[in-house]
Amino acid sequence: MLMITITYFQATIASTQQPSTFLLNGSDANLIRSFLLYLSISGILIAFTLEDLAKKSSALNVANALFKGIIELIPIPMIVVNVRLQRESGQHKTADFVNHSFTQITGYDLEDFINQKKWWQQAYPDSLYRAQIETVWNANLRNPVDFSKPVEPIESWMTCKNGQKRYVQWSAIFVQDNYVMYANDLTDIQTQATSLKIAASLYQAIGDAVAITNINNCIVAVNPSFQMNTGYLEAEVLNIGITAILHEDPTNLIFLDMWKELDSMGRWEGQVSLQIKDGTQLTKYLSVYATHNEHSEDDQRIWLFSNITRHKKTRAIIHQQANYDALTGLPNRRLMNERLERAITKADESKTGFALIYVDIDNFKDVNDTQGHDVGDQVLVAVSKIFTENVRSSDTVARLGGDEFTLIINSIKDRESIELILNNIFQKFEMPILVEHSTHHVSLSAGIALYPADANNSRGMLMRADQAMYAAKSEGKDGHHFFNRSLQDRADKKVSILSDLRRGIKEHEFELLYQPIVNLTTGKIYKAEALIRWKLPDGSIRLPGDFLPIAEESGVIVQIGEWVFNSVVNMLSRLKHTDPDFSIAINISPVQFHSRLDFSKRWAEQVQAAGLRQGTLCLEITERLMLKINPIVHKRIQTLQLAGIEFSVDDFGTGYSSLAMLQQMKFNYIKMDKIFIDPVVSPNSDLELVKAVLAMAKGLNLETVAEGVETV
């Protein structure tokens, strides 16, 4: 525009001079000059207008930034909605700005409001509740009474982005082309209000008399039960001291203890006399509890007056449930421990001793499995009755759980005294127990620990008696065993070996040796038995008898068995190229078959994947497993047999061999135990026994392997 103005003035000056480019006739020159003047004036006006608009826009942007900056810093959740942007974009309630406080409390940021419908569904997942809240909110926005005043607030439970529920009060205020939604988080207030309503309902409905006092013990409120129990109306006792209705001597030690404990502990319980309006006195059980303010200072005290008889009954029920076995009525483990501690204290004071007897019913699981738990429970009740009838009233019989009992026999002089008591109890169990018109023969295994000879604390006594009980079981059950130091040494050794076992598995300290099995017809080695050895870090070798029983008892045998199986399969995989018919046998523990983890399918797949021929792998099981073959074990054996794995019964003839089971399970071998083979070379050997076993095996189509053949 400036250039046009300069051109206009130049043209005006030039038109008066000769010669001139702009020398035209008068009308044309005036027309050009007028046009240029019009352009100049219009351009200048437009420039000033645009500059003014730019200044206003810049000021508006600064104001908007300042506005949003202020909202960002306000510690109240806020959302800014641009009304003009809504109209231009055609969208409905699009958020333009969300402050930090809103995001911090609800988890939602500006990106979550791009799809407004999706936000409503996330914040209010219940469709009916969402429709109700959205309808009321939209109506409040459309019909504000005064745009200078906030929109009528609405309260609702809102779901935050993390799924947490918060109770929020929503409102909004219009600011020119924007309206600002803001929220008050009332979650804590709502929760407290709900709790107060519940407390008030309980306070009004509770059957016991309740009085509330301030810190000076003046009554500020009483419930209907208080008025009914005492005869006093609330107006008659307000602002009077609680001591006015407590008929107690102020010098009474119990009364003084109450105030002392209330001041120090904030609570007290005890028996008091309550003086009612007609002058009579009632004995009540009083429980006083202090409430606290935000500074953790006593604020009010709640006085609960309970019926003494009902309170005693309730206490008795709680005591019974906490300390006595529900089935037998005997002291439970908790009360037994308490009495055991008391027995130790009494023995220390009187310089005497006592005995702790740990008793377990032999094979009790069989009763539950065959007769049912109802019958088992009745047997337990009958057993507990025999125990209590055959000890003194000063002694304790307790049920620890299941079929385990303990007897605390106080003030004993020597072992003979315990022997007499135990022999008397065991004699009672020689007679069958009658339950539901059927008789049950019950036997016991008992372990005895003596105080202070065997242990000097309750934990030690229980552990020693338990060890002695297991020793009685290992000796054939139906008997008793006194604790001795060798039992503890054995237990310590067992713990040590178990710890070493776990290390040995981790450090790969085990190795396999292969004992040859010779075919006596051909004289060739055609089979072998894998025998595990444990090579300790010091180079010494530990034989299976030293660690396998502990491995079985602890369950570690499952891991060892897996390693043995994998090692033998690898060996057979190498041998199949040079001697494909060679067979290796491995021992498998009953614990593995009864484990909750089913290994049979996995082992079968491994054998097939290795390409092993039928009969090249044989699993040796003991007669002990044959006695406990259940449907699960049977199915696992069948799975392995289908994969071409053969089975052998180890140590045949030393246990309770089931010929029917041998035939049913379609086993392949029996192994005659070494005890039958060793005497064969002696002059007085009973060859007929060996011949009988061979004949039986032949009749059942079984091969026989003889253990312990070491000479020509």
Side-chain angles (χ1 to χ4, degrees):
M1 293 303 111
L2 179 61
M3 290 303 296
I4 292 173
T5 304
I6 293 171
T7 303
Y8 166 73
F9 283 110
Q10 184 182 13
T12 303
I13 296 169
S15 65
T16 60
Q17 299 176 0
Q18 297 295 334
S20 172
T21 304
F22 292 93
L23 184 60
L24 303 170
N25 60 49
S27 60
D28 291 336
N30 289 333
L31 182 62
I32 290 173
R33 284 196 297 272
S34 299
F35 177 70
L36 290 173
L37 179 63
Y38 173 75
L39 286 178
S40 299
I41 294 171
S42 298
I44 291 170
L45 290 174
I46 290 170
F48 279 124
T49 302
L50 289 175
E51 183 183 9
D52 185 53
L53 288 174
K55 287 181 179 179
K56 288 181 178 179
S57 177
S58 176
L60 184 62
N61 288 336
V62 171
N64 191 39
L66 180 62
F67 171 65
K68 290 182 178 179
I70 293 171
I71 289 178
E72 177 68 24
L73 296 174
I74 291 176
I76 297 173
M78 288 187 171
I79 305 171
V80 178
V81 179
N82 191 313
V83 180
R84 180 175 55 80
L85 183 62
Q86 284 182 26
R87 296 195 194 100
E88 292 173 356
S89 64
Q91 296 182 16
H92 184 57
K93 288 191 195 56
T94 301
D96 183 43
F97 181 75
V98 174
N99 75 345
H100 175 70
S101 182
F102 186 91
T103 302
Q104 189 177 35
I105 291 175
T106 68
Y108 297 111
D109 55 23
L110 188 59
E111 294 295 322
D112 295 309
F113 287 89
I114 293 175
N115 188 332
Q116 192 73 353
K117 183 178 180 181
K118 185 177 179 182
W119 178 84
W120 272 98
Q121 291 174 347
Q122 191 172 358
Y124 296 93
D126 184 274
S127 58
L128 294 176
Y129 189 57
R130 178 173 65 249
Q132 179 185 354
I133 299 301
E134 196 170 8
T135 301
V136 175
W137 177 250
N138 290 337
N140 288 355
L141 277 180
R142 284 194 297 268
N143 303 307
V145 178
D146 185 347
F147 282 95
S148 64
K149 293 181 180 179
V151 173
E152 185 177 348
I154 177 174
E155 295 180 5
S156 67
W157 281 102
M158 169 192 169
T159 302
C160 299
K161 197 170 184 178
N162 63 1
Q164 185 183 15
K165 299 278 189 180
R166 302 205 72 81
Y167 193 76
V168 179
Q169 182 191 63
W170 293 101
S171 188
I173 190 166
F174 287 88
V175 181
Q176 295 182 351
D177 286 340
N178 301 298
Y179 69 84
V180 182
M181 296 169 56
Y182 58 91
N184 289 324
D185 187 359
L186 304 178
T187 307
D188 293 339
I189 296 173
Q190 180 69 13
T191 304
Q192 290 173 5
T194 303
S195 299
L196 286 172
K197 286 179 182 178
I198 294 171
S201 299
L202 289 172
Y203 167 71
Q204 293 293 328
I206 195 169
D208 293 324
V210 178
I212 300 176
T213 66
N214 57 23
I215 195 60
N216 298 316
N217 299 309
C218 292
I219 298 173
V220 295
V222 295
N223 72 340
S225 292
F226 181 93
Q227 300 176 57
M228 186 172 63
N229 278 273
T230 64
Y232 290 108
L233 298 176
E234 186 175 43
E236 295 175 312
V237 292
L238 286 180
N239 299 318
I240 69 168
I242 193 74
T243 53
I245 60 171
L246 290 177
H247 191 269
E248 296 288 349
D249 182 356
T251 62
N252 189 314
L253 291 177
I254 296 178
F255 207 55
L256 293 174
D257 177 67
M258 178 183 73
W259 297 117
K260 184 179 178 181
E261 195 164 329
L262 273 175
D263 290 335
S264 61
M265 304 293 293
R267 59 177 297 161
W268 183 84
E269 291 184 358
Q271 190 171 310
V272 297
S273 292
L274 182 66
Q275 184 167 304
I276 63 177
K277 189 173 181 180
D278 63 8
T280 59
Q281 297 171 17
L282 297 176
T283 302
K284 294 283 184 180
Y285 191 87
L286 173 61
S287 301
V288 191
Y289 306 92
T291 62
H292 304 92
N293 58 22
E294 64 273 14
H295 305 297
S296 298
E297 299 169 340
D298 285 0
D299 189 16
Q300 292 179 329
R301 286 172 177 164
I302 300 170
W303 303 69
L304 178 66
F305 298 91
S306 306
N307 184 292
I308 194 73
T309 305
R310 181 160 54 83
H311 180 81
K312 285 181 176 179
K313 286 181 179 178
T314 303
R315 284 297 178 103
I317 292 171
I318 294 172
H319 178 76
Q320 179 73 21
Q321 291 175 343
N323 294 284
Y324 291 88
D325 176 52
L327 176 65
T328 63
L330 295 176
N332 60 13
R333 184 183 291 272
R334 180 186 174 281
L335 185 55
M336 186 279 298
N337 282 323
E338 187 179 306
R339 292 193 179 177
L340 187 55
E341 293 285 355
R342 198 183 306 165
I344 291 173
T345 303
K346 184 179 177 182
D348 290 341
E349 291 173 351
S350 60
K351 306 299 180 185
T352 58
F354 70 89
L356 177 65
I357 306 174
Y358 205 119
V359 183
D360 184 88
I361 302 176
D362 297 331
N363 305 317
F364 182 72
K365 185 177 181 296
D366 294 340
V367 177
N368 280 334
D369 291 345
T370 58
Q371 303 294 320
H373 286 272
D374 290 343
V375 174
D377 287 348
Q378 293 182 54
V379 170
L380 289 173
V381 172
V383 168
S384 64
K385 187 177 180 183
I386 293 173
F387 285 151
T388 53
E389 288 175 349
N390 288 276
V391 298
R392 300 163 300 181
S393 58
S394 58
D395 301 326
T396 295
V397 179
R399 182 188 176 210
L400 301 187
D403 59 340
E404 294 181 336
F405 296 81
T406 55
L407 285 70
I408 302 173
I409 311 299
N410 292 300
S411 304
I412 60 160
K413 297 177 181 178
D414 46 38
R415 285 194 175 195
E416 286 71 21
S417 304
I418 294 297
E419 292 275 9
L420 287 172
I421 294 171
L422 280 173
N423 289 337
N424 187 42
I425 291 174
F426 274 82
Q427 283 177 6
K428 300 293 183 184
F429 283 99
E430 291 177 1
M431 300 294 293
I433 294 174
L434 182 64
V435 172
E436 295 220 346
H437 310 295
S438 63
T439 57
H440 297 269
H441 291 273
V442 175
S443 67
L444 311 173
S445 294
I448 307 103
L450 303 176
Y451 183 87
D454 296 332
N456 58 7
N457 56 57
S458 58
R459 182 172 175 273
M461 287 290 289
L462 276 167
M463 188 167 64
R464 303 291 190 267
D466 188 36
Q467 290 170 353
M469 184 270 290
Y470 276 105
K473 280 191 174 295
S474 65
E475 292 173 357
K477 304 180 181 179
D478 194 18
H480 64 272
H481 195 290
F482 282 89
F483 173 81
N484 55 53
R485 188 50 54 184
S486 65
L487 292 178
Q488 182 60 41
D489 294 340
R490 200 182 309 163
D492 293 341
K493 183 181 178 182
K494 187 187 295 184
V495 171
S496 175
I497 290 176
L498 182 57
S499 176
D500 290 344
L501 265 175
R502 299 186 192 281
R503 187 209 67 238
I505 293 171
K506 187 177 180 181
E507 300 297 331
H508 309 289
E509 294 176 0
F510 296 96
E511 59 183 25
L512 291 180
L513 302 183
Y514 293 91
Q515 177 171 282
I517 299 176
V518 180
N519 186 323
L520 292 182
T521 303
T522 63
K524 292 182 179 180
I525 298 173
Y526 76 119
K527 295 181 185 292
E529 180 181 354
L531 302 176
I532 192 168
R533 297 293 183 265
W534 183 5
K535 192 173 183 179
L536 298 175
D538 61 5
S540 61
I541 300 295
R542 186 168 275 170
L543 297 177
D546 293 334
F547 63 87
L548 285 186
I550 296 171
E552 284 193 317
E553 186 179 328
S554 64
V556 174
I557 191 68
V558 174
Q559 293 172 268
I560 295 175
E562 286 285 341
W563 176 81
V564 170
F565 176 82
N566 292 331
S567 300
V568 169
V569 169
N570 290 335
M571 172 65 81
L572 288 169
S573 297
R574 295 196 298 271
L575 287 173
K576 71 180 181 180
H577 302 295
T578 56
D579 193 352
D581 295 325
F582 195 83
S583 172
I584 297 179
I586 61 176
N587 291 282
I588 184 165
S589 166
V591 175
Q592 290 174 264
F593 269 107
H594 290 289
S595 171
R596 62 182 179 83
L597 299 174
D598 184 7
F599 64 92
S600 59
K601 187 177 179 181
R602 187 177 68 257
W603 283 16
E605 290 172 351
Q606 278 184 251
V607 167
Q608 291 170 346
L612 302 184
R613 295 179 62 180
Q614 171 89 22
T616 54
L617 180 62
C618 179
L619 301 182
E620 293 187 1
I621 66 172
T622 62
E623 290 183 330
R624 181 159 56 99
L625 176 62
M626 290 181 64
L627 287 172
K628 296 183 177 180
I629 289 182
N630 55 36
I632 294 175
V633 174
H634 192 176
K635 184 179 179 181
R636 292 178 180 179
I637 290 175
Q638 286 181 325
T639 301
L640 295 167
Q641 286 177 326
L642 288 172
I645 298 174
E646 295 186 337
F647 277 82
S648 171
V649 180
D650 197 10
D651 302 331
F652 184 81
T654 59
Y656 302 92
S657 303
S658 170
L659 301 183
M661 189 64 71
L662 268 175
Q663 193 171 26
Q664 179 188 344
M665 299 305 297
K666 295 182 173 57
F667 288 162
N668 307 92
Y669 302 90
I670 59 172
K671 286 179 66 179
M672 289 184 65
D673 193 82
K674 192 173 184 292
I675 62 171
F676 300 118
I677 303 303
D678 285 345
V680 167
V681 295
S682 65
N684 300 319
S685 66
D686 189 359
L687 289 173
E688 297 305 318
L689 178 61
V690 176
K691 289 179 180 179
V693 173
L694 289 170
M696 180 210 66
K698 187 176 181 181
L700 293 173
N701 198 27
L702 297 170
E703 290 190 45
T704 307
V705 178
E707 289 184 337
V709 177
E710 299 176 354
T711 64
V712 174

